[in-house]
């Protein structure tokens, strides 16, 4: 029987889109914009991207959007390229990701996710849709699912941005073989069985390295509270 | 009954990174619907994805990229897309579907034996995965069969036992290529599962007789 109907739905992923927040009172640091040229001075790694997003939500700040674009569009493009997207598609997905950030900024909750985690989930979902569209151009895509926020747990007491800083540090301390498996899980458009052949190790080894890596990351996040 | 069987870290990582195929992702979503522990694991993987994105190198954008982006944010957002050709999801009496599944829509049930039905779930079949609901009444054992490829199962209601373990509501099971087994329904209730499999099953024994009707 035909159990394989064609798919069109957005694959929802937990935590991508919490409930909308009221416009936030937080204000972004002033950024110089030349009104004649619309050129924005980028100071990469300066400024807090979650403040940019909440300011976009509260006052549709084009300056904050430009800052965010400068910080994330080239990285989203790089992520897409690593996953095997053609350069034009990678550029388009980076554009779409930042456009979605602009449109959905009111759903961003900085206590729940860091800016880069939120942007990662948007980019990931757009990529899943793009792959589906390429295979089934006739399909229309649903709007992303807006999921209610989960109850705050003890480990959420640390702010999402702080948690991410620590996670970035912890990722750098992973043993090389574990770091490699973590990297490939995200920057490799392949199932783990294929990752294991690429690395020349059995699938069981990939599984245990990934499990060890996650145990270690979780432990480090908990230690640091 | 509490959940005892969870997806492996590898499966959860695939779900969080987007590498897992559509059908298996749906079975994971059914498990997550009931398992706060695994929702926490997926969140950690998503945070890892965010951290890797923040630290990844940068690919040069086109020269007019920012100008294009600033122009597109001035345009109104398009209205949400409507599904062109898919029928409205059908509620199935007596089965509570997790929201991930209810939104997808489940096709018409097809009765394949006394009290046994299968119903297709809308999913991306282009990648070869077949995803469907299977209901088996109490007291019934699946005939002995083998798997040609991996298969993921999420229990929605009831329970079954297989290879010495019992799987109840919310439990998740992953079987690999080459597995031969004959799971059987446990307890006094019919068992309803979401299955997603690649490569189909190899009928051995009795199943060869009914397989043409089940079509899995
Ligand atoms: Zn679980």
């Amino acid at each position: 029987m035909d159990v394989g109907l064609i798919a069109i739905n957005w694959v929802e992923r937990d935590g991508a889109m919490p409930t909308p927040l009221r416009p936030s009172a937080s204000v972004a640091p002033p950024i110089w914009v030349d009104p004649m040229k619309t050129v924005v001075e980028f100071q990469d790694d300066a400024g807090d991207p979650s403040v940019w997003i909440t300011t976009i939500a509260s006052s549709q700040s084009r300056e904050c959007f430009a800052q965010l674009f400068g910080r994330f569009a080239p990285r989203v493009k790089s992520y897409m390229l690593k996953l095997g997207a053609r350069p034009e598609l990678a550029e388009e997905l980076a554009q779409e990701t930042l456009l979605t950030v602009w449109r959905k900024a009111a759903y961003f909750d900085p206590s729940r996710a860091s800016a880069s985690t939120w942007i990662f989930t948007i980019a990931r979902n757009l990529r899943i849709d793009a792959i589906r569209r390429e295979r089934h151009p006739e399909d229309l895509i649903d709007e992303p699912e807006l999921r209610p926020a989960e109850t705050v747990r003890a480990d959420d007491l640390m702010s999402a941005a702080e948690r991410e800083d620590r996670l970035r540090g912890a990722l750098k301390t992973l043993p090389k073989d574990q770091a490699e498996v973590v990297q490939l899980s995200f920057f490799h458009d392949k199932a783990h069985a294929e990752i294991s052949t690429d690395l020349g190790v059995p699938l069981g080894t990939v599984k245990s390295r990934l499990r060890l890596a996650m145990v270690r990351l979780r432990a480090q996040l908990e230690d640091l509270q | 009954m509490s959940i005892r069987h969870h997806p492996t870290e590898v499966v959860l990582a695939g779900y969080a990174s987007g590498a897992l195929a559509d059908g298996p992702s749906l079975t994971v979503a059914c498990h997550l619907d009931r398992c706060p522990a695994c929702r926490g694991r997926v969140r950690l993987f998503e945070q890892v994805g965010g951290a890797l994105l923040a630290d990844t190198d940068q690919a040069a954008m086109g020269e007019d990229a920012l100008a294009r982006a600033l122009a597109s944010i001035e345009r109104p957002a398009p209205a949400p897309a409507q599904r062109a050709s898919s029928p409205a999801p059908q509620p199935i009496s007596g089965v509570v579907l997790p929201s991930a599944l209810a939104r997808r829509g489940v096709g018409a049930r097809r009765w394949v034996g006394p009290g046994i039905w299968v119903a297709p779930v809308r999913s991306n079949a282009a990648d070869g995965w077949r995803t469907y609901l299977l209901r088996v009444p109490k007291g019934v054992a699946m005939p002995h069969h083998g798997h040609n490829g991996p298969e993921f199962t999420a229990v929605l209601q009831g329970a079954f036992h297989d290879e010495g373990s019992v799987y109840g509501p919310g439990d998740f099971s992953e079987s690999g290529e080459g597995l031969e087994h004959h799971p059987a329904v446990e307890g006094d209730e019919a068992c309803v599962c979401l299955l997603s499999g690649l490569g189909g099953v190899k009928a051995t024994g009795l199943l060869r007789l009914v397989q043409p009707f089940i079509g899995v």
Side-chain angles (χ1 to χ4, degrees):
Chain A
M1 74 177 262
D2 179 21
V3 288
L5 290 190
I6 288 165
I8 37 180
N9 291 46
W10 184 274
V11 175
E12 84 285 3
R13 292 290 193 281
D14 237 29
M17 301 277 176
T19 43
L21 297 174
R22 292 179 183 286
S24 154
S26 54
V27 176
I31 290 157
W32 167 246
V33 178
D34 182 337
M36 302 304 289
K37 294 183 185 164
T38 351
V39 167
V40 177
E41 301 284 329
F42 291 126
Q43 285 181 299
D44 199 54
D45 283 340
D48 180 350
S50 34
V51 174
W52 297 337
I53 301 175
T54 50
T55 309
I56 289 172
S58 61
S59 60
Q60 287 78 51
S61 162
R62 270 82 180 158
E63 290 80 6
C64 287
F65 178 76
Q67 292 287 329
L68 203 64
F69 192 91
R71 172 84 63 93
F72 282 101
R75 293 188 162 93
V76 172
K77 183 175 179 180
S78 163
Y79 162 68
M80 297 297 175
L81 288 171
K82 284 178 179 154
L83 287 168
R86 289 172 287 107
E88 316 82 72
L89 179 63
E91 174 106 9
E92 213 40 57
L93 286 169
Q95 284 277 351
E96 263 190 76
T97 300
L98 273 293
L99 181 58
T100 305
V101 168
W102 171 268
R103 288 181 178 156
K104 307 283 179 191
Y107 294 93
F108 174 66
D109 179 351
S111 68
R112 231 179 96 70
S114 70
S116 44
T117 295
W118 193 60
I119 293 171
F120 165 75
T121 58
I122 291 172
R124 172 200 65 193
N125 290 359
L126 288 172
R127 180 175 165 270
I128 291 171
D129 276 351
I131 291 169
R132 214 172 274 169
R133 252 186 332 237
E134 275 190 353
R135 291 176 190 167
H136 302 284
E138 73 278 13
D139 286 349
L140 292 170
I141 304 302
D142 284 358
E143 280 286 283
E145 171 70 6
L146 304 179
R147 299 203 124 206
E150 279 185 35
T151 2
V152 174
R153 303 189 319 261
D155 63 3
D156 293 329
L157 294 176
M158 185 159 57
S159 87
E162 198 182 350
R163 204 175 151 82
E164 185 190 296
D165 281 349
R166 289 173 178 187
L167 192 57
R168 285 166 76 175
L171 277 167
K172 291 186 179 111
T173 68
L174 283 181
K176 192 173 164 288
D177 55 348
Q178 291 176 23
E180 199 170 39
V181 170
V182 171
Q183 280 278 343
L184 286 178
S185 300
F186 285 89
F187 292 141
H188 206 266
D189 185 23
K190 283 182 178 176
H192 283 80
E194 292 170 74
I195 293 178
S196 74
T197 37
D198 276 12
L199 293 174
V201 296
L203 180 58
T205 309
V206 169
K207 287 185 176 179
S208 65
R209 281 181 190 169
L210 186 63
R211 197 174 43 77
L212 287 173
M214 297 315 282
V215 166
R216 202 180 158 115
L217 293 177
R218 200 173 293 126
Q220 293 204 28
L221 286 176
E222 280 158 14
D223 279 357
L224 288 166
Q225 278 193 62
Chain B
M1 196 161 75
S2 62
I3 293 174
R4 276 174 296 186
H5 302 280
H6 305 266
T8 60
E9 298 272 359
V10 166
V11 170
L12 293 174
Y15 178 85
S17 71
L20 196 62
D22 188 44
S25 291
L26 265 178
T27 63
V28 173
C30 289
H31 175 78
L32 295 178
D33 194 57
R34 285 174 176 255
C35 185
C38 284
R39 286 202 294 274
R41 289 182 193 119
V42 167
R43 281 186 65 186
L44 179 58
F45 277 117
E46 288 177 340
Q47 288 161 0
V48 169
L52 293 175
L53 180 67
D55 279 338
T56 196
D57 51 1
Q58 306 185 49
M61 294 289 287
E63 263 174 36
D64 59 343
L66 179 58
R68 277 181 58 206
L70 287 167
S72 48
I73 61 175
E74 302 303 331
R75 288 193 285 272
Q82 295 299 312
R83 280 180 219 161
S85 56
S86 42
Q90 302 176 357
I92 294 181
S93 64
V95 183
V96 181
L97 297 180
S99 59
L101 211 48
R103 273 193 310 277
R104 275 308 172 92
V106 175
R109 281 177 293 178
R110 189 177 159 120
W111 296 83
V112 295
I116 306 176
W117 53 253
V118 288
V121 172
R122 257 173 228 111
S123 65
N124 192 349
D127 49 20
W129 291 85
R130 302 179 130 215
T131 306
Y132 54 96
L133 286 173
L134 172 67
R135 182 217 195 248
V136 182
K138 67 173 180 177
V140 172
M142 285 291 285
H144 199 257
H145 64 278
H147 287 265
N148 295 323
E151 185 181 70
F152 296 85
T153 304
V155 182
L156 303 184
Q157 68 181 46
F160 69 89
H161 62 85
D162 188 20
E163 310 276 292
S165 297
V166 175
Y167 297 81
D171 276 332
F172 187 89
S173 129
E174 178 185 355
S175 51
E177 183 183 344
L179 176 77
E180 290 198 13
H181 64 158
H182 63 129
V185 173
E186 173 96 0
D188 290 333
E189 209 189 333
C191 182
V192 180
C193 294
L194 176 71
L195 290 95
S196 187
L198 189 64
V201 297
K202 261 193 305 274
T204 52
L206 256 184
L207 188 65
R208 253 184 313 201
L209 299 176
V210 296
Q211 191 178 36
F213 304 104
I214 303 182
V216 297

